[in-house]
Amino acid sequence: MRGAVGVERLDQQPQRDATARDHDAPRRGGHRRPARAAAPLGPRGAGVPVRRPRRPEEEALRVRDERRLRALGIARSTGTASPIEPVVVGEAGVPATVEGVPGGWRVDPDAVGRPFEGRTALLSPFDRLVYDRVRAQQLFDFEYQLEMYKPKAARRWGYFALPVLHSDRLVGKLDATADRKRGRFVVHALHEDIHFTPAMADAVHREIEDLARWLGLTVAG
């Protein structure tokens, strides 16, 4: 891992992989029914939304950046705009440098020194740990892209490869397909960014088996 910053400073818990979305949600007229959010009720449960005082814009932006940094643990103060979700945090937190990585960072002071216990997990490509591909490569030396829009011959890791987390490192990618018609979770390849020890391999294969069971499938391949 590049630099002196580990996964333990990242407060965001790894998410279950995105292949496990519920595609069988109730539908109406051929379309998925949108979830309805419950509005806070006014006096006597009259169904009138509670009007909360608005924060001044400057304060709202500060709170937003603090919450974002709390989720990420470490982030850039400024950077290239993201088309979906911003990944910069302004002046939130405290300044920090990462050995071997140019430029400054901001860290959540509450995350520093927090007890850490590693785990093994298959991550969604949209997990906050890897969502910012540049950050993942700079902090963890983890190169990754979603390749679903690439021609098959041009893919390095697979159509929808899942990042593999082990302890405090990102160690590889899993190329697998959920074949629901045949009830199989087909493993096409397990790409090792570093050599897997027997203990690492066992931990990763247990996660694969666990994911397949969660999807109601049997591992094949």
Side-chain angles (χ1 to χ4, degrees):
M1 179 174 62
R2 181 178 301 177
V5 178
V7 178
E8 61 268 29
R9 293 189 182 177
L10 305 177
D11 197 31
Q12 179 73 14
Q13 294 295 322
Q15 302 164 356
R16 179 67 70 174
D17 76 288
T19 64
R21 295 173 183 167
D22 182 7
H23 294 288
D24 300 320
R27 298 170 182 268
R28 176 179 294 171
H31 300 282
R32 185 174 301 174
R33 295 170 61 184
R36 297 181 61 187
L41 299 181
R44 302 179 184 177
V48 179
V50 175
R51 295 188 179 276
R52 295 186 174 91
R54 290 189 176 183
R55 296 177 185 266
E57 182 179 1
E58 183 176 344
E59 181 184 355
L61 293 175
R62 175 183 59 78
V63 172
R64 178 204 62 184
D65 290 342
E66 289 175 350
R67 291 177 177 176
R68 183 177 296 149
L69 181 60
R70 192 177 307 124
L72 293 171
I74 178 170
R76 292 288 193 182
S77 174
T78 59
T80 304
S82 171
I84 301 176
E85 179 179 338
V87 293
V88 296
V89 297
E91 298 303 309
V94 295
T97 58
V98 177
E99 182 180 354
V101 181
W105 297 80
R106 308 293 295 190
V107 298
D108 176 12
D110 293 336
V112 178
R114 179 180 297 169
F116 171 73
E117 182 177 350
R119 58 171 293 192
T120 303
L122 304 175
L123 305 182
S124 161
F126 307 105
D127 191 284
R128 297 303 95 179
L129 188 59
V130 296
Y131 176 78
D132 183 347
R133 312 302 190 215
V134 174
R135 173 179 176 273
Q137 186 159 14
Q138 290 180 333
L139 290 180
F140 308 111
D141 203 19
F142 184 71
E143 185 181 1
Y144 178 73
Q145 286 184 332
L146 265 179
E147 299 181 300
M148 62 179 71
Y149 299 114
K150 288 185 177 183
K152 186 175 182 179
R155 296 173 191 155
R156 298 171 59 187
W157 305 302
Y159 179 84
F160 197 81
L162 306 179
V164 179
L165 171 71
H166 179 74
S167 187
D168 63 349
R169 301 188 66 179
L170 293 161
V171 297
K173 296 97 175 169
L174 173 68
D175 179 16
T177 302
D179 185 350
R180 297 184 181 277
K181 290 184 177 180
R182 294 178 174 84
R184 303 188 307 166
F185 188 72
V186 183
V187 176
H188 305 294
L190 179 58
H191 302 280
E192 300 180 14
D193 288 7
I194 63 173
H195 175 68
F196 284 13
T197 65
M200 290 173 61
D202 288 345
V204 173
H205 284 293
R206 283 195 298 270
E207 286 298 307
I208 294 173
E209 292 280 355
D210 182 61
L211 175 58
R213 283 194 299 271
W214 191 70
L215 293 171
L217 306 174
T218 301
V219 176

